[in-house]
């Protein structure tokens, strides 16, 4: 009896083992960042512990803030060999200290790092490690221990780089350069160092890092210190004065001499876009490349170096990189299409719906190797001078010209035999040069491991069958059955693996007939780059032809699964790409639609009852529906008229914000914009924009910038007061500092993604009377809002649709006119919004109506 139970348990174990064999054989062993984390224990202050899970939650936008007076200790898990970090602020000074089992300090590593990723080796015999901020608050995105076989985001830490790229801000690597960097790095294997001159917050820098990794760049980017929030639209001198030119020049020269690149790429020196910074940056880089050659300049820092080529972007450049060329490292997707796909990684930038350049034009500003003649940045450069150069592009074979008659001249060349090793035959290129081709790529290690051991499951099954035969008593009637089961399972698994082996062999034979890769010193492999942020769009494939049947049959009924499931709100959105809109000033109705945003604005004429007297009252209500968080965006710009502000931003709809910290910031709530904390006086309630497109409010005195930022909140508004909570008028709203009758602007939410914006006219007794806070709050309740918040009012009130102001500010005999905006709440992006230099139909003054 015991023997039978033991036999059954053994049989079940063998069956389970056999079923796991395919999974073991085909498992991938390349962990991603968070997936490579080892189990760790942390010790931290009570204020920090609720956020410790953000270290390893896999969400790049959640953080852990550690103040100067605090520290966090990690108990190192078994097998930990490297500490992995991601930082969200530049120039943070911190101390890393390792301790042994007795609490003795082993080593202290003090570093100053920019935003990005860092790996620190674990000290031998270390049991714990402590991180302590030294000079300012430390913001970490991730911090955990890994083994050495964990794949790091940027493994290349060499000092030199083939290409040095200077840009203004994250996103430029796509909007300015299109698919150029994937071509140089992902396709040709060049090493590149990308340097952004302006500072980037952790939210956008993390997305930037993901984009660069997918481009094939193996170096962490460098972010500068300049904060764009201080740079004005109409004041180029102000932007330049904030930059220490001498220090900037020295930094650029030292970078060029340190990385010793063959190619330097930068922006257009004639550009005046994006706060005038692009042209300024390009001109400084051009100057630095020249100074880097001069041994008399900064000679105490680095050795002189001459760059082989300096390229700048230019609308008139003669070196043109086409966006239509296929990239073979990315399944032959075109460079422009790849750039558009990667750009979607920037969640906040999706609203712009930008089309990446079909072609990128470069001007060769300086060359030590000769002038360009075609569309190749590597022209006149020896490819063997690049350490990891590869060419994945198949060499086109010239089509032979047709001859009138077949020739009968005998040839000694043997007939090609696919089973034999092909000889290296010179091949003529379109340029007339000869080169060798590799007609059959080497099999990869992974592929070999999957197919060459097809016999292993059968062997294991046979061994188990023999073992069972001797373990099961002879008198057992099921003895033969117990022996056959593992053997049959093993044979089945081996059969499947053998079929897979044959399929791979057939695929290799097919591939051998296709155009082959250009020659290199060694057979090259495709880079291990995966488009993890979003799927790469593929060309539609034809449906397989149905097999012929002996007798004609009726046409099959189309399957309903091919049709997309309709959504309840489909009527509000456009089906497909594009946009539609209408401006009807005569009837006071304006609307806009695309596939993720719907806006419907109406002008409402009514009366406001004050002490039994009916006053004329006019307001504008915008019904806003969003399917994507990026449809909303905050703005921080120069102090300009609302219609100019909205036109520069190409905003479909823009309303008044909270004037940020320009005025009365000590009376406002928490002011957080695009991840940058402007102030946190906490004297008023705060409106929070959630990532799920919902609005929430925090009462006065209860807002913590640490909580908001660690949860990845990007934007808050702090004018106040709170108008509506849980669908009811908020208590004490009338005690706001601006509770008396005034023109108003506010924002409310009916449900996540469905918001209501209201802007009222006022201070015009013969046209529209002002309204009090309690009546304003009731308006949002009447529209079904569960949450509502009061924005800046009075002369600041403005609502702009497609670049035209809807409300008006004018009262005869007074100076009450539209106040310029410093910030705004915006929705959508449209190239159909006129530029500021085009005359307006309405600009916010009554005499234009």
């Amino acid at each position: 009896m015991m023997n039978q139970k033991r036999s059954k348990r053994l049989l079940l174990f063998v069956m389970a083992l056999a079923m796991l064999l395919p999974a073991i054989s085909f498992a991938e062993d390349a962990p991603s960042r968070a997936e490579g984390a080892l189990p760790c224990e942390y010790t931290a202050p009570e204020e920090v512990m609720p956020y410790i899970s953000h270290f390893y939650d896999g969400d790049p936008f959640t953080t852990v803030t550690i103040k100067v007076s605090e520290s966090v200790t990690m108990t190192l898990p078994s097998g930990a060999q490297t500490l992995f970090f991601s930082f969200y602020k530049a120039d943070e000074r911190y101390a890393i200290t390792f301790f042994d089992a007795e609490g003795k300090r082993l080593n202290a590593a003090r570093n100053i790092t920019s935003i990005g990723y860092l790996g620190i080796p674990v000290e031998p015999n270390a049991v714990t490690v402590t991180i302590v901020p030294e000079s300012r608050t430390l913001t970490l995105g991730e911090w955990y221990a890994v083994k050495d076989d964990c794949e790091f985001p940027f493994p290349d830490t060499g000092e030199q780089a083939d290409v040095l790229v200077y840009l203004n801000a994250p996103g430029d690597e796509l909007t300015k350069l299109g698919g150029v960097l994937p071509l140089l790095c992902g396709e040709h294997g060049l090493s590149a160092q990308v340097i952004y001159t302006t500072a980037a917050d952790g939210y956008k820098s993390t997305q930037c890092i993901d984009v660069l990794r997918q481009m094939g760049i193996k170096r962490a980017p460098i972010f500068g210190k300049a904060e764009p929030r201080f740079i004005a639209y109409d004041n180029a001198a102000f932007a330049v004065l904030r930059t220490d030119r001498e220090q900037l020049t020295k930094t650029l020269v030292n970078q060029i001499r340190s990385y010793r690149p063959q190619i330097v790429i930068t922006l257009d020196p004639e550009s005046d876009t994006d706060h005038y910074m692009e042209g300024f940056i390009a001109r400084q880089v051009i100057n630095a490349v020249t100074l880097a050659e001069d041994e008399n300049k900064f000679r105490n820092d680095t050795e002189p170096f001459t760059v082989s080529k300096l390229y700048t972007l230019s609308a008139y450049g003669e070196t043109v990189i086409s966006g239509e060329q296929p990239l073979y490292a990315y399944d032959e997707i075109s460079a422009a299409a790849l750039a558009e796909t990667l750009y979607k990684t920037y969640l906040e930038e999706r609203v712009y719906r930008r089309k990446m350049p079909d072609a990128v034009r470069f001007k060769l500003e300086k060359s030590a190797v000769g002038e360009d003649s075609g569309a190749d940045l590597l022209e006149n450069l020896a490819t063997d001078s690049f350490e990891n150069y590869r060419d994945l592009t198949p060499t086109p074979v010239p089509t032979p010209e047709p001859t009138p008659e077949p020739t009968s001249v005998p040839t000694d060349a043997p007939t090609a035999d696919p089973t034999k090793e092909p000889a290296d035959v010179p091949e003529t290129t379109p340029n007339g040069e000869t080169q060798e081709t590799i007609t059959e790529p080497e099999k990869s290690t992974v592929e070999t491991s999957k197919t060459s051991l097809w016999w292993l499951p059968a062997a294991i099954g046979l061994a188990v069958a023999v073992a069972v035969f001797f373990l099961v008593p002879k008198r057992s009637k099921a003895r033969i059955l117990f022996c056959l089961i593992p053997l049959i399972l093993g044979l089945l698994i081996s059969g499947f693996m053998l079929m897979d082996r044959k399929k791979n062999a057939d695929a290799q034979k097919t591939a051998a007939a296709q155009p082959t890769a250009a020659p290199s010193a060694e057979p090259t492999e495709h880079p291990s780059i995966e488009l993890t942020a979003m799927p790469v769009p593929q060309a539609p494939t034809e449906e397989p032809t149905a097999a012929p049947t002996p007798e004609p049959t009726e046409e099959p009924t189309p399957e309903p699964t091919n049709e997309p499931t309709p959504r309840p709100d489909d009527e509000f959105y456009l089906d497909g790409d594009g946009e539609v809109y209408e401006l009807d000033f005569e009837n006071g109705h304006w609307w806009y639609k695309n596939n993720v945003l719907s806006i419907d604005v109406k002008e409402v004429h009514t009366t406001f009852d004050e002490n039994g007297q009916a006053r004329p009252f006019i307001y504008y209500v915008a019904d806003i529906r969003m399917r994507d968080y990026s449809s909303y965006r905050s703005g921080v710009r120069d102090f300009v008229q609302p219609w100019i502000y909205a036109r520069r931003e190409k905003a479909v709809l823009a309303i008044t914000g909270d004037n940020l910290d320009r005025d009365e910031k000590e009376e406002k709530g928490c002011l957080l914009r695009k991840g940058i904390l402007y102030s946190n006086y906490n004297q008023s309630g705060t409106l929070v924009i959630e990532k799920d497109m919902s609005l929430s409010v925090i009462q006065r005195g209860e807002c913590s910038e640490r909580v908001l930022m660690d949860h990845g909140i990007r934007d808050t508004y702090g004018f106040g007061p709170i108008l509506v909570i849980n669908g009811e008028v908020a208590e004490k709203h009338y005690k706001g500092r601006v509770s008396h009758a005034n023109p108003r602007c506010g924002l409310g939410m009916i449900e996540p993604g469905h918001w209501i914006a209201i802007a009222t006219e006022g201070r015009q007794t013969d046209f529209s009377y002002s309204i009090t806070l309690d009546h304003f709050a009731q308006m949002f309740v009447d529209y079904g809002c569960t949450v509502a918040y009061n924005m800046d009012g009075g002369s600041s009130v403005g609502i702009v649709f497609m670049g035209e102001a809807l409300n008006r500010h004018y009262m005869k005999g007074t100076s009450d006119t539209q106040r310029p905006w410093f910030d705004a709440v915006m929705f959508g992006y449209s190239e159909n919004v006129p530029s500021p230099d085009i005359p307006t139909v309405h600009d916010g003054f009554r005499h234009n109506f």
Side-chain angles (χ1 to χ4, degrees):
M1 196 67 182
M2 291 295 294
N3 290 335
Q4 290 181 0
K5 291 182 178 180
R6 184 168 54 186
S7 299
K8 290 180 180 179
R9 286 196 297 267
L10 178 62
L11 177 61
L12 291 174
F13 169 77
V14 170
M15 293 174 65
L17 177 64
M19 295 173 67
L20 285 173
L21 278 174
I24 295 172
S25 300
F26 295 92
E28 297 183 0
D29 55 358
S32 63
R33 294 200 304 264
E35 291 173 352
L38 297 173
C40 300
E41 293 183 2
Y42 299 85
T43 303
E46 183 179 353
E47 295 79 5
V48 180
M49 284 305 296
Y51 312 106
I52 288 296
S53 61
H54 294 171
F55 280 146
Y56 48 85
D57 62 0
D59 185 347
F61 310 134
T62 56
T63 60
V64 178
T65 300
I66 309 173
K67 296 183 178 179
V68 175
S69 58
E70 301 170 340
S71 66
V72 177
T73 298
M74 176 198 300
T75 301
L76 295 170
S78 176
Q81 295 174 298
T82 306
L83 297 181
F84 185 77
F85 298 86
S86 66
F87 293 89
Y88 270 31
K89 290 182 181 178
D91 298 327
E92 294 179 325
R93 188 181 297 275
Y94 60 92
I96 298 288
T97 307
F98 291 97
F99 298 91
D100 62 15
E102 298 178 355
K104 180 181 177 181
R105 188 178 76 172
L106 299 175
N107 184 32
R110 289 176 171 80
N111 301 277
I112 297 178
T113 181
S114 62
I115 298 174
Y117 290 93
L118 178 68
I120 297 180
V122 173
E123 287 290 314
N125 302 320
V127 175
T128 62
V129 59
T130 300
I131 185 167
V132 180
E134 291 190 338
S135 61
R136 55 181 294 183
T137 298
L138 178 64
T139 305
L140 293 173
E142 296 171 327
W143 182 37
Y144 50 79
V146 297
K147 297 180 179 179
D148 273 352
D149 58 358
C150 180
E151 180 182 356
F152 284 91
F154 295 102
D156 191 352
T157 57
E159 294 182 358
Q160 297 186 8
D162 299 326
V163 184
L164 190 57
V165 184
Y166 286 99
L167 301 171
N168 181 37
D172 287 352
E173 72 282 351
L174 294 169
T175 59
K176 305 296 183 184
L177 300 182
V180 171
L181 290 182
L183 174 65
L184 294 177
C185 302
E187 188 85 346
H188 292 309
L190 272 60
S191 63
Q193 177 64 65
V194 180
I195 299 176
Y196 301 95
T197 55
T198 56
D201 64 272
Y203 184 87
K204 194 165 186 178
S205 67
T206 302
Q207 297 172 79
C208 173
I209 286 169
D210 285 339
V211 168
L212 296 181
R213 289 178 64 208
Q214 295 178 77
M215 284 182 167
I217 296 175
K218 299 180 180 180
R219 293 173 177 269
I222 296 175
F223 299 93
K225 299 179 182 180
E227 295 187 0
R229 64 171 174 157
F230 292 113
I231 301 171
Y233 247 125
D234 301 323
N235 196 343
F238 182 56
V240 174
L241 285 174
R242 290 192 57 84
T243 304
D244 186 334
R245 289 195 178 191
E246 183 176 356
Q247 181 59 43
L248 175 61
T249 301
K250 182 178 179 179
T251 300
L252 295 176
V253 169
N254 286 338
Q255 287 174 340
I256 293 169
R257 290 176 174 177
S258 298
Y259 288 108
R260 308 181 76 80
Q262 294 200 49
I263 302 174
V264 172
I265 298 175
T266 190
L267 302 165
D268 185 352
E270 304 300 323
S271 174
D272 60 356
T273 60
D274 206 350
H275 314 297
Y276 299 91
M277 284 298 291
E278 291 185 9
F280 175 73
I281 292 166
R283 292 189 291 271
Q284 298 306 307
V285 172
I286 294 172
N287 182 45
V289 169
T290 301
L291 294 177
E293 303 174 358
D294 191 343
E295 62 181 8
N296 296 318
K297 298 294 183 181
F298 311 112
R299 54 186 176 184
N300 294 329
D301 298 315
T302 48
E303 294 295 326
F305 177 75
T306 300
V307 173
S308 298
K309 285 186 172 185
L310 168 62
Y311 285 104
T312 61
L313 289 171
S314 173
Y316 310 101
E318 296 181 355
T319 302
V320 183
I321 307 300
S322 172
E324 299 302 318
Q325 60 180 307
L327 299 179
Y328 292 86
Y330 302 88
D331 296 330
E332 300 187 35
I333 186 174
S334 71
L338 174 64
E340 289 191 21
T341 302
L342 291 177
Y343 194 70
K344 295 176 183 178
T345 302
Y346 290 107
L347 301 181
E348 292 182 333
E349 305 299 317
R350 292 182 184 178
V351 65
Y352 299 111
R353 293 169 170 252
R354 289 193 175 105
K355 190 178 188 305
M356 298 301 110
D358 294 329
V360 183
R361 289 184 171 271
F362 292 96
K363 179 182 178 182
L364 185 60
E365 295 280 354
K366 188 178 182 64
S367 176
V369 293
E371 297 298 319
D372 285 355
S373 61
D376 186 5
L377 298 180
L378 305 182
E379 187 175 358
N380 299 323
L381 296 175
T383 55
D384 58 4
S385 63
F386 302 109
E387 183 177 358
N388 297 308
Y389 178 82
R390 58 174 174 259
D391 189 356
L392 302 180
T393 306
T395 303
V397 179
T399 304
E401 297 182 2
T403 55
E405 296 179 0
T407 60
S408 58
V409 178
T411 176
D412 295 333
T415 304
D417 187 350
T419 63
K420 296 182 179 180
E421 190 73 22
D424 294 336
V425 181
E427 184 176 305
T428 304
T429 66
N431 297 329
E433 300 176 354
T434 60
Q435 65 179 30
E436 298 176 354
T437 59
I438 302 173
T439 57
E440 184 177 357
E442 292 186 0
K443 298 179 182 180
S444 66
T445 305
V446 175
E447 182 182 346
T448 302
S449 65
K450 291 180 180 179
T451 58
S452 60
L453 300 179
W454 60 270
W455 49 269
L456 182 60
I460 294 176
L462 178 60
V464 173
V466 173
V468 171
F469 182 82
F470 289 102
L471 289 174
V472 178
K474 294 182 179 180
R475 62 179 179 277
S476 175
K477 297 180 180 180
R479 184 181 188 188
I480 302 300
L481 176 63
F482 287 166
C483 296
L484 289 177
I485 289 177
L487 180 60
I488 293 173
L489 286 174
L491 290 173
L492 287 174
I493 294 171
S494 292
F496 284 121
M497 294 179 68
L498 185 60
M499 292 172 62
D500 187 61
R501 177 186 177 89
K502 184 178 182 303
K503 187 184 299 183
N504 289 338
D506 293 341
Q508 290 173 6
K509 290 180 181 179
T510 303
Q514 301 299 322
T516 57
S520 59
E522 297 178 359
T524 58
E525 297 180 359
H526 286 264
S528 57
I529 302 169
E530 297 182 358
L531 294 176
T532 55
M534 72 295 296
V536 178
Q538 302 289 341
T541 57
E542 298 181 358
E543 296 183 0
T545 306
T549 55
E551 297 180 1
T553 58
E554 296 181 1
E555 295 183 1
T557 305
E559 297 182 3
T561 54
N562 294 331
E563 295 293 331
T565 304
R567 297 171 62 169
D569 58 354
D570 279 346
E571 61 178 299
F572 300 104
Y573 299 94
L574 194 64
D575 184 14
D577 296 332
E579 60 182 7
V580 292
Y581 63 93
E582 182 179 5
L583 293 85
D584 186 354
F585 286 93
E586 182 177 354
N587 296 306
H589 189 198
W590 307 266
W591 58 270
Y592 174 93
K593 286 183 181 181
N594 63 29
N595 56 5
V596 294
L597 175 65
S598 170
I599 299 175
D600 191 296
V601 186
K602 294 180 180 177
E603 180 179 341
V604 181
H605 291 248
T606 183
T607 59
F608 172 62
D609 184 33
E610 184 189 39
N611 299 325
Q613 184 177 358
R615 304 278 194 176
F617 178 56
I618 298 175
Y619 65 92
Y620 304 84
V621 56
D623 191 300
I624 306 161
R625 297 174 185 267
M626 300 175 289
R627 281 180 171 172
D628 194 307
Y629 173 79
S630 66
S631 294
Y632 151 84
R633 55 192 171 112
S634 61
V636 180
R637 288 293 191 185
D638 199 14
F639 204 52
V640 295
Q641 291 295 324
W643 61 272
I644 297 177
Y645 196 112
R647 288 187 174 199
R648 283 176 170 169
E649 294 284 354
K650 295 288 185 180
V652 174
L653 176 70
I655 65 170
T656 309
D658 58 9
N659 206 18
L660 209 57
D661 60 350
R662 188 176 180 91
D663 297 307
E664 303 174 328
K665 64 180 180 180
E666 67 279 356
E667 297 182 7
K668 298 179 180 179
C670 180
L671 301 177
L672 185 66
R673 215 57 49 87
K674 293 185 177 179
I676 298 175
L677 181 67
Y678 286 79
S679 68
N680 187 23
Y681 279 91
N682 232 333
Q683 296 302 306
S684 178
T686 298
L687 176 69
V688 178
I689 311 296
E690 305 276 3
K691 289 183 289 185
D692 64 351
M693 296 179 292
S694 65
L695 301 178
S696 61
V697 291
I698 302 176
Q699 294 287 0
R700 170 184 174 181
E702 297 179 358
C703 186
S704 168
E705 74 278 12
R706 180 186 213 167
V707 173
L708 294 172
M709 298 178 75
D710 283 352
H711 278 90
I713 300 299
R714 304 280 294 155
D715 294 308
T716 63
Y717 294 86
F719 194 88
I722 300 169
L723 300 176
V724 177
I725 299 178
N726 297 326
E728 298 181 355
V729 174
E731 296 181 3
K732 301 182 180 180
H733 68 276
Y734 53 86
K735 292 186 179 181
R737 64 186 185 281
V738 288
S739 58
H740 55 279
N742 248 323
R744 306 281 180 200
C745 185
L747 187 64
M749 179 192 73
I750 295 177
E751 60 183 0
H754 187 187
W755 297 358
I756 293 289
I758 300 177
T760 75
E761 302 279 12
R763 297 179 182 172
Q764 304 170 71
T765 54
D766 59 341
F767 176 69
S768 179
Y769 203 72
S770 298
I771 191 171
T772 57
L773 273 179
D774 55 345
H775 284 86
F776 192 48
Q778 187 60 47
M779 290 176 67
F780 283 97
V781 173
D782 293 342
Y783 276 102
C785 291
T786 58
V787 175
Y789 188 83
N790 184 55
M791 297 294 190
D792 196 0
S795 299
S796 298
V797 171
I799 180 169
V800 184
F801 183 85
M802 295 298 289
E804 302 290 346
L806 305 187
N807 67 311
R808 62 211 79 180
H809 285 273
Y810 177 76
M811 187 167 67
K812 188 175 181 180
T814 72
S815 59
D816 184 35
T817 57
Q818 176 73 66
R819 180 187 297 163
W821 280 354
F822 186 68
D823 78 310
V825 182
M826 297 177 292
F827 301 90
Y829 176 93
S830 175
E831 289 290 348
N832 288 313
V833 174
S835 59
D837 57 346
I838 296 178
T840 61
V841 177
H842 301 94
D843 61 4
F845 294 92
R846 184 179 176 185
H847 58 263
N848 285 340
F849 285 74

